[in-house]
Amino acid sequence: MDITELCSGINLQPEIRCRVLEFAAGFDFQAVDDLLKGFQGQESRQNALKELQTILKEDEDHIKVLACMLKASADLYDFYREKGIDDGIYFDTMKCYPRFIGETYRMTGRFCFDREWWTVRQVGGCLFCIGALEYEIAETDQKKGIELHIPSGTDLSPDAVSQSLSSAGRFFAKYFPETGQAEYHGHSWILDRQLKGMLGEDSNIIRFQNRFEITDEGEPGTECIRWVYGTGTDDYASLPERTTLQREMKRHLLAGGVIREAHGILRQREEE
């Protein structure tokens, strides 16, 4: 797999693809190969990213670091092939790039890449998109766990979530048996129990939340603003009110409330 093939396979936006390929054509990726491989270690990935950014220096719209991420992602295809992981999961996982670029474009009107701090997980071969959800193998206190992540705009209907969880159970049992009976953890504003006062029990968000045992109410966060309203503004009075969630969350925020990034453990894994 090379960068050009990957860009086509994930439908990277033409406006940014041409800039990536232009940079890639004249850059010596071998000179940063050790840093790109450093993304594969949970402890080393953030330091590797910092060193890479230092080497790349000025990087308008983060095109250079995006090209390096895509190169490392293309190289990772061999890892998927060796494991026998389906190409569909590989490309679904790497579609994080156009998704993030699209989100930023809708918020700023500019095609740029601002999520390199997150995509080290995909590049590191520890985060996989399986159906509606993403799953990250993580290790804390020498204990492996699976972190659940919710891509923006995904289908959170009970059927879609159950299908994703079932597929993930089979995926990890087959390709990463060392995860064994690892717990599935969630850390998200979607797990904030205050949402039950804003949404009905038939809400997909509440149905998703009910799958978890909340273990920590978490700290106040602002990620919900980006996810719910598609903006990073802190001018709460200007937020739209097109949906029940938007209206109720806006009312809550204007009244001085906060939304917390709660932690939870999946109550029951669904496997076939």
Side-chain angles (χ1 to χ4, degrees), residues 53 59-67 112-114 116:
Q53 291 170 319
D59 189 5
E60 185 180 7
D61 295 333
H62 295 195
I63 298 299
K64 297 177 183 179
V65 74
L66 173 58
C112 62
F113 178 63
D114 61 1
E116 60 269 22

Side-chain angles (χ1 to χ4, degrees), residues 6 34 52 66 72 102 108 124 165 218 248:
L6 178 56
D34 287 343
L52 177 64
L66 173 58
T108 67
L165 290 170
E248 291 299 314

Side-chain angles (χ1 to χ4, degrees), residues 1-2 5 10 17 28 64 68 77 79 85 97 108 133 141 146 174 176-177 190 207-208 217 221 233 239 263:
M1 179 76 65
D2 61 27
E5 291 174 307
I10 62 176
R17 181 192 307 182
D28 179 13
K64 297 177 183 179
C68 290
Y77 182 69
F79 168 78
I85 299 173
Y97 294 108
T108 67
L133 304 172
D141 298 327
I146 306 295
K174 182 176 181 179
F176 297 93
I190 283 180
R207 288 178 175 178
F208 181 82
E217 297 295 340
T233 184
L239 295 174
H263 297 255

Side-chain angles (χ1 to χ4, degrees), residues 75-148:
D75 291 345
L76 191 68
Y77 182 69
D78 289 340
F79 168 78
Y80 275 72
R81 295 292 289 175
E82 290 167 6
K83 284 276 191 183
I85 299 173
D86 184 82
D87 279 5
I89 290 179
Y90 172 79
F91 285 110
D92 284 348
T93 299
M94 299 310 166
K95 284 177 182 176
C96 62
Y97 294 108
R99 184 174 76 247
F100 291 151
I101 291 165
E103 289 172 5
T104 302
Y105 177 76
R106 288 188 292 274
M107 290 178 60
T108 67
R110 188 177 182 88
F111 284 104
C112 62
F113 178 63
D114 61 1
R115 232 67 67 86
E116 60 269 22
W117 57 273
W118 182 260
T119 54
V120 290
R121 294 165 169 82
Q122 285 87 344
V123 173
C126 66
L127 187 152
F128 307 90
C129 182
I130 305 172
L133 304 172
E134 293 177 330
Y135 301 81
E136 177 187 357
I137 301 172
E139 187 169 314
T140 304
D141 298 327
Q142 298 183 332
K143 182 180 179 182
K144 286 190 180 295
I146 306 295
E147 299 287 339
L148 271 69

